[in-house]
Amino acid sequence: ALTFIMPDEALDGSVYVIARSGEEIDAGSYTLVKSAATSYSSSEVEAGDALVITGTDLDLVKTVTFVGSSTPVEPSAKDETSLTVRVPDDGKTGALTLTLLNGTTVTCPELTFAQPSVTSMTGTRDKVDGKPVFKAGETVTLAGENLHLIKSIKLENAEVTTLTVSD
């Protein structure tokens, strides 16, 4: 018998043996195992969270790419059944992509990113026609969920330069 170790960078294909005479002999084709993600440690994540991905053959993963993120993330820990990555700041809800050691990619189930939601907007004046009324220079208070995830506020015709998040 003759044995060899399949290289990390190998792709699906054929095995050829080279005879001493230099002749190439096709020994047959093969398919490589691909990683598969089956679940996440959390159904909803935020930037900076440690996310554990469970599945099969995850030791073959080189990087994880989040929808919306420009930089793939290298796992901080991995074995055959799980890997851990830090959730990037610029990730968005969608299917993650695993890039394997050989460069092939595998699509994972969708991952949901927590989003802020504003439930009320108040100031120091009474509402008019159900809408809050503000004077330039006054403080506007937004209430809601996950407000710590807001990085800026945009108005139609002016720039907000001061933003304070409190619990």
Side-chain angles (χ1 to χ4, degrees), residues 95-111:
L96 303 185
T97 301
L98 305 178
T99 300
L100 307 184
L101 296 170
N102 66 4
T104 60
T105 58
V106 176
T107 302
C108 300
E110 184 171 287
L111 179 67

Side-chain angles (χ1 to χ4, degrees), residues 120-142 155:
S120 68
M121 180 171 44
T122 58
T124 58
R125 302 171 183 274
D126 292 332
K127 291 185 176 184
V128 174
D129 296 328
K131 295 180 183 177
V133 176
F134 303 108
K135 179 180 177 183
E138 288 182 335
T139 299
V140 176
T141 301
L142 302 178
L155 303 177

Side-chain angles (χ1 to χ4, degrees), residues 40 44 54-55 59 65 79-81 87 100 102 136 146 148-149 161 166:
Y40 302 118
E44 186 175 84
T54 28
D59 55 326
T65 303
D79 60 32
E80 285 188 11
T81 60
V87 177
L100 307 184
N102 66 4
N146 295 322
H148 64 283
L149 299 175
T161 56
S166 62

Side-chain angles (χ1 to χ4, degrees), residues 2-162:
L2 177 68
T3 63
F4 68 96
I5 304 293
M6 187 63 72
D8 288 345
E9 65 275 3
L11 301 171
D12 292 348
S14 296
V15 173
Y16 296 92
V17 295
I18 314 301
R20 288 185 181 180
S21 65
E23 184 178 345
E24 252 184 42
I25 301 163
D26 188 346
S29 61
Y30 63 90
T31 301
L32 291 171
V33 169
K34 291 181 177 52
S35 301
T38 55
S39 65
Y40 302 118
S41 58
S42 179
S43 61
E44 186 175 84
V45 297
E46 294 180 13
D49 285 353
L51 175 68
V52 178
I53 301 171
T54 28
T56 57
D57 300 299
L58 296 174
D59 55 326
L60 300 174
V61 174
K62 182 177 181 181
T63 61
V64 177
T65 303
F66 290 77
V67 172
S69 183
S70 57
T71 306
V73 179
E74 290 187 21
S76 58
K78 66 180 177 177
D79 60 32
E80 285 188 11
T81 60
S82 70
L83 63 83
T84 303
V85 291
R86 186 72 49 200
V87 177
D89 289 339
D90 56 352
K92 293 181 170 77
T93 295
L96 303 185
T97 301
L98 305 178
T99 300
L100 307 184
L101 296 170
N102 66 4
T104 60
T105 58
V106 176
T107 302
C108 300
E110 184 171 287
L111 179 67
T112 302
F113 273 71
Q115 294 295 319
S117 66
V118 175
T119 56
S120 68
M121 180 171 44
T122 58
T124 58
R125 302 171 183 274
D126 292 332
K127 291 185 176 184
V128 174
D129 296 328
K131 295 180 183 177
V133 176
F134 303 108
K135 179 180 177 183
E138 288 182 335
T139 299
V140 176
T141 301
L142 302 178
E145 300 289 325
N146 295 322
L147 299 180
H148 64 283
L149 299 175
I150 295 175
K151 74 174 184 179
S152 65
I153 295 176
K154 176 183 172 184
L155 303 177
E156 282 185 41
N157 53 12
E159 182 179 343
V160 174
T161 56
T162 304

